[in-house]
């Protein structure tokens, strides 16, 4: 596995390879969710590039940038064992200069739900993703459905800017008890870890309600809120794949999303119907 720390090093590494490039961008502290993306990239491409970069521009003031988990050695091993060809591991100044051209998330879709709670977060996400997609010359790039709004906005950016990369959505990987894997789960104490199960439990209940024929979004949201008590719920939302709020679930075009704080840890989860 080649480790590249700058765009120039990455380009040199890529020049020694041929064929399709599968790219998995991450912020490290790799878990089985990340590994699932990497494995899919491995199966579908000749060359696999993974980036590990805790992107400062997507963290708001007061968020967990400085304490975001960093696991360099373990991450390198996981990449090596997963058959990654090139690991891109840049410092901040290898990614950003002064007075740059800026990328801004769309006014509505970028500033609702996650974008409302974390205004400007998606500007930072899109800024780093466009850089990474360009540096890696990715044929295909892999993103988790767990970050559904991020996935939708990246897909939109690729369309809006006529970029030549295929965005591949990967199902959320969960622990056996339902908790969606997240690098932030390490912040949870044992009792918070149990409380955190309310997120996936509420989504499971939403799925059951829909299977029983319930379609009204407000009814599903009401039941979910009940299950989520006493967590500090930021939102429970029911949207279509374009992230427009919908009053009735339409099978095949609905995403049910939840964001809540468990102690001081912010968790998100969703289910696609
Ligand atoms: P992160 O390191 O949190 O920025 O995540 C990197 C990529 O992994 C993103 O595309 C996430 O959506 C994806 N991801 C994170 N958690 C999971 C999960 N539990 N299942 C599938 N993909 C995930």
């Amino acid at each position: 596995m080649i480790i590249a720390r700058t765009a120039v090093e990455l380009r040199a590494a890529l020049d020694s390879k041929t064929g399709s490039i599968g790219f998995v961008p991450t912020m490290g502290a790799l878990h089985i969710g990340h590994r699932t993306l990497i494995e899919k990239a491995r199966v579908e491409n000749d060359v696999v590039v993974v980036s590990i970069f805790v992107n400062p521009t997507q963290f708001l003031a007061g968020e967990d940038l400085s304490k975001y988990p960093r696991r360099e050695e373990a991450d390198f091993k996981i990449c090596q064992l997963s058959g990654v060809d090139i690991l891109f591991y840049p410092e901040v100044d290898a990614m950003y200069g002064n007075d740059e051209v800026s990328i801004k998330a769309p006014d509505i879709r970028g500033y609702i739900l996650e974008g409302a709670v974390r205004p400007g977060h998606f500007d930072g996400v899109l800024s780093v993703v466009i850089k990474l997609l360009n540096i890696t010359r990715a044929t295909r790039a892999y993103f988790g459905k767990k970050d559904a709004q991020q996935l939708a906005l990246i897909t939109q950016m690729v369309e809006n800017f006529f970029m030549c990369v295929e965005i591949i959505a990967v199902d959320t990987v969960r622990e056996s008890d339902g908790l969606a894997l997240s690098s932030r789960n390490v912040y949870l104490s044992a009792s918070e870890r149990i409380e955190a199960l309310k997120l996936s439990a509420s989504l499971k209940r939403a799925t059951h309600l829909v299977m029983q024929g319930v379609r009204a979004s407000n009814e599903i949201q009401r039941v979910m809120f009940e299950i989520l008590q006493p967590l500090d719920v930021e939102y429970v939302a029911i949207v279509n794949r374009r992230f427009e709020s919908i009053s009735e679930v339409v099978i095949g075009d609905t995403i049910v999303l939840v964001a809540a704080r468990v102690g001081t840890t912010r968790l998100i989860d969703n289910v696609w119907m």
Side-chain angles (χ1 to χ4, degrees):
M1 183 174 79
I2 301 171
I3 297 173
R5 292 190 173 268
T6 65
V8 171
E9 285 179 20
L10 181 62
R11 283 284 161 89
L14 286 167
D15 284 343
S16 68
K17 312 276 182 194
T18 52
S20 63
I21 298 167
F23 173 49
V24 182
T26 81
M27 297 206 300
L30 302 180
H31 51 63
I32 315 255
H34 297 115
R35 280 181 65 176
T36 305
L37 270 62
I38 297 170
E39 277 158 21
K40 198 164 163 55
R42 183 68 281 167
V43 170
E44 296 177 355
N45 299 276
D46 300 305
V47 182
V48 174
V49 181
V50 169
S51 65
I52 296 178
F53 180 59
V54 182
N55 172 39
T57 66
Q58 71 189 68
F59 287 79
L60 273 60
E63 287 190 343
D64 57 345
L65 173 63
S66 60
K67 68 168 184 134
Y68 194 83
R70 286 166 168 84
R71 308 250 188 286
E72 179 176 309
E73 213 174 303
D75 286 351
F76 282 21
K77 281 230 172 69
I78 289 170
C79 287
Q80 215 154 19
L81 292 172
S82 308
V84 172
D85 297 296
I86 305 171
L87 173 62
F88 184 46
Y89 190 68
E91 299 283 350
V92 174
D93 60 8
M95 292 297 288
Y96 289 103
N98 292 324
D99 196 25
E100 293 204 325
V101 172
S102 54
I103 301 279
K104 196 185 148 300
D107 286 338
I108 299 169
R109 261 200 262 177
Y111 286 84
I112 54 170
L113 305 175
E114 283 303 286
V117 182
R118 308 178 71 191
H121 166 69
F122 287 122
D123 301 356
V125 170
L126 295 178
S127 302
V128 79
V129 169
I130 196 167
K131 285 169 186 268
L132 290 168
L133 292 175
N134 285 333
I135 301 172
T136 56
R137 301 185 198 137
T139 315
R140 300 182 187 88
Y142 296 79
F143 294 89
K145 289 185 182 176
K146 160 130 190 320
D147 298 287
Q149 196 176 358
Q150 166 176 287
L151 171 62
L153 291 169
I154 290 166
T155 304
Q156 181 179 346
M157 177 175 73
V158 165
E159 282 170 17
N160 289 168
F161 290 168
F162 306 103
M163 295 164 68
C164 296
V165 57
E166 191 183 346
I167 301 298
I168 312 279
V170 182
D171 288 341
T172 300
V173 180
R174 298 175 180 282
E175 307 270 14
S176 54
D177 58 9
L179 183 70
L181 289 171
S182 164
S183 303
R184 291 189 165 98
N185 290 350
V186 298
Y187 300 149
L188 300 170
S189 68
S191 60
E192 288 171 346
R193 168 82 182 57
I194 294 167
E195 282 290 281
L197 291 174
K198 289 185 169 155
L199 277 82
S200 55
S202 72
L203 293 166
K204 210 167 170 185
R205 185 84 180 99
T207 307
H208 283 152
L209 286 171
V210 171
M211 279 163 57
Q212 286 165 0
V214 178
R215 293 291 180 272
S217 297
N218 55 11
E219 173 59 10
I220 295 166
Q221 284 165 300
R222 189 187 60 74
V223 174
M224 287 178 67
F225 264 108
E226 266 174 30
I227 293 170
L228 289 160
Q229 291 311 309
L231 298 185
D232 175 9
V233 180
E234 287 182 349
Y235 61 78
V236 170
I238 302 188
V239 300
N240 61 24
R241 298 281 196 269
R242 292 166 303 290
F243 270 80
E244 295 153 345
S245 188
I246 49 175
S247 56
E248 300 244 313
V249 167
V250 178
I251 307 277
D253 191 23
T254 297
I255 309 174
V256 181
L257 307 109
V258 56
R261 277 183 191 279
V262 182
T264 54
T265 306
R266 200 172 170 270
L267 297 176
I268 59 170
D269 200 354
N270 64 67
V271 65
W272 296 45
M273 295 171 175

